[in-house]
């Protein structure tokens, strides 16, 4: 005699497998978002569990486009990718850089944002008015350039600027201290570093050079920007998320969010 309970159990299991395979998360119309919750301006969770920040704005925008409700699952950044297979959440939105190592474990959406990079100098420096990388390459011959060691932007300087006196630092605070004291001629770092430094008394006499360098200017060195992470093979969900992101980029919503949180446009144009 066939056990009806076994049949029901098998049928329920098959439905669950199908739901995960198609990626419609959406148990009860919910998209579960894995995020760090402790990365100021990107992902911040308050004691009640409410998540705000740039990542939350991106997530809520995607959910609005897909007509789903966002449900945030907060955990440490280092545990997000390893948790992807445990079905704790459907996607990762946490300033997640697209790297070859992570691509072995998860799939990504199209890139939607990247942290811009800038040179900073004293306001009265003749370097302050430079407008192009070619001008900077020529003007910095023999000059001292500071970068934080081990960063992608340090590798960018090593690749692109020959004939400079490269000074490396273990921490941003050391870099900005030497810039403020005049021990280096110019420094290169990301937009948040300069936004914070220029707002301090030490940074009052300094400025960013008006040249924005983005990941797509040299993806081999600077990477491919941030993407939404998801389980491998979840092609239906990827297609939907890609379409939502592309619409948000083209509608200016990604720019709006990045200008709100960072006072800078982090948007990567949609190529789809």
């Amino acid at each position: 005699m066939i056990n009806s309970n076994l049949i029901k159990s098998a049928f329920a299991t098959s439905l669950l497998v199908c739901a995960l395979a198609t990626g419609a998360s959406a148990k009860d119309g919910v998209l579960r978002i894995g995020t760090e919750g402790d990365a100021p301006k990107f992902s911040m969770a308050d004691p009640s569990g409410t998540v705000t920040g740039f990542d939350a704005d991106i997530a809520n925008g995607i959910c609005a486009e897909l007509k789903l409700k966002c449900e945030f699952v907060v955990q440490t950044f280092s545990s997000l990718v390893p948790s992807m297979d445990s079905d704790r959440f459907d996607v990762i939105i946490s300033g997640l850089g697209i790297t070859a190592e992570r691509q072995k474990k998860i799939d990504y959406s199209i890139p939607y944002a990247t942290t811009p990079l800038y040179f900073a100098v004293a306001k009265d420096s003749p370097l302050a008015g430079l407008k192009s990388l070619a001008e900077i390459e020529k003007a910095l011959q023999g000059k001292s350039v500071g970068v934080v060691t081990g960063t992608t932007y340090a590798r960018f300087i090593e690749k692109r600027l020959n004939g400079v006196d490269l000074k490396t630092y273990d921490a941003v605070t050391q870099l900005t201290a030497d810039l403020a004291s005049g021990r280096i001629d110019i420094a290169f770092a990301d937009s948040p570093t300069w936004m914070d430094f220029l707002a301090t008394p030490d940074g009052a006499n300094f400025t960013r050079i008006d040249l924005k360098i983005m990941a797509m200017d040299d993806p081999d060195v600077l990477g491919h920007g941030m993407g939404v992470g998801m389980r491998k093979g979840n092609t239906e969900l990827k297609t939907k998320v890609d379409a939502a992101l592309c619409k948000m980029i083209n509608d200016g919503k990604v720019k709006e969010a990045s200008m709100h949180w960072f006072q800078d446009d982090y948007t990567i144009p949609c190529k789809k």
Side-chain angles (χ1 to χ4, degrees), residues 11-249:
F11 180 68
T13 300
S14 68
L15 286 178
L16 176 59
V17 170
C18 289
L20 292 175
T22 61
S25 161
K27 297 169 186 165
D28 300 324
V30 171
L31 185 68
R32 298 167 301 165
I33 316 290
T35 195
E36 179 178 2
D38 190 25
K41 297 184 181 177
F42 276 95
S43 177
M44 301 167 289
D46 67 17
S48 71
T50 300
V51 179
T52 58
F54 179 66
D55 294 325
D57 287 355
I58 297 300
N60 286 320
I62 291 171
C63 287
E65 292 293 337
L66 301 183
K67 296 180 172 53
L68 297 172
K69 177 184 177 182
C70 277
E71 179 181 288
F72 291 94
V73 180
V74 177
Q75 56 187 63
T76 60
F77 184 83
S78 61
S79 70
L80 288 170
V81 172
S83 295
M84 193 78 261
D85 289 330
S86 69
D87 196 33
R88 284 180 54 79
F89 39 78
D90 306 297
V91 297
I92 300 169
I93 304 179
S94 198
L96 191 66
I98 299 171
T99 68
E101 187 60 31
R102 289 182 184 138
Q103 284 177 318
K104 296 175 184 177
K105 302 171 183 175
I106 61 173
D107 284 342
Y108 280 97
S109 69
I110 59 170
Y112 60 87
T114 182
T115 306
L117 305 170
Y118 295 93
F119 291 92
V121 295
K123 289 180 178 178
D124 60 1
S125 168
L127 302 172
L130 300 177
K131 298 292 185 182
S132 71
L133 189 58
E135 288 179 326
I136 290 173
E137 288 173 347
K138 183 177 179 180
L140 291 186
Q141 295 298 304
K143 298 284 197 303
S144 54
V145 182
V147 292
V148 175
T149 189
T151 58
T152 56
Y153 41 89
R155 293 197 293 273
F156 179 83
I157 294 299
E158 290 168 355
K159 175 181 176 181
R160 299 297 294 268
L161 298 186
N162 297 313
V164 302
D165 178 17
L166 188 64
K167 304 291 187 184
T168 59
Y169 300 87
D170 292 329
V172 165
T173 52
Q174 297 170 352
L175 169 70
T176 54
D178 268 15
L179 181 65
S181 66
R183 285 190 287 269
I184 54 176
D185 297 306
I186 192 168
F188 188 60
D190 59 29
S191 180
T193 293
W194 299 132
M195 185 171 69
D196 292 343
F197 173 66
L198 297 178
T200 67
D202 282 347
N205 294 320
F206 291 82
T207 187
R208 294 186 324 197
I209 290 179
D210 189 21
L211 172 67
K212 178 187 289 191
I213 295 174
M214 307 280 275
M216 53 277 200
D217 293 323
D218 192 343
D220 289 341
V221 174
L222 298 176
H224 300 271
M226 306 168 203
V228 175
M230 59 200 81
R231 274 182 288 279
K232 275 194 167 293
N234 205 336
T235 54
E236 183 179 337
L237 181 59
K238 174 175 167 51
T239 298
K240 291 177 179 179
V241 170
D242 284 352
L245 282 170
C246 198
K247 189 171 187 301
M248 290 170 63
I249 290 167

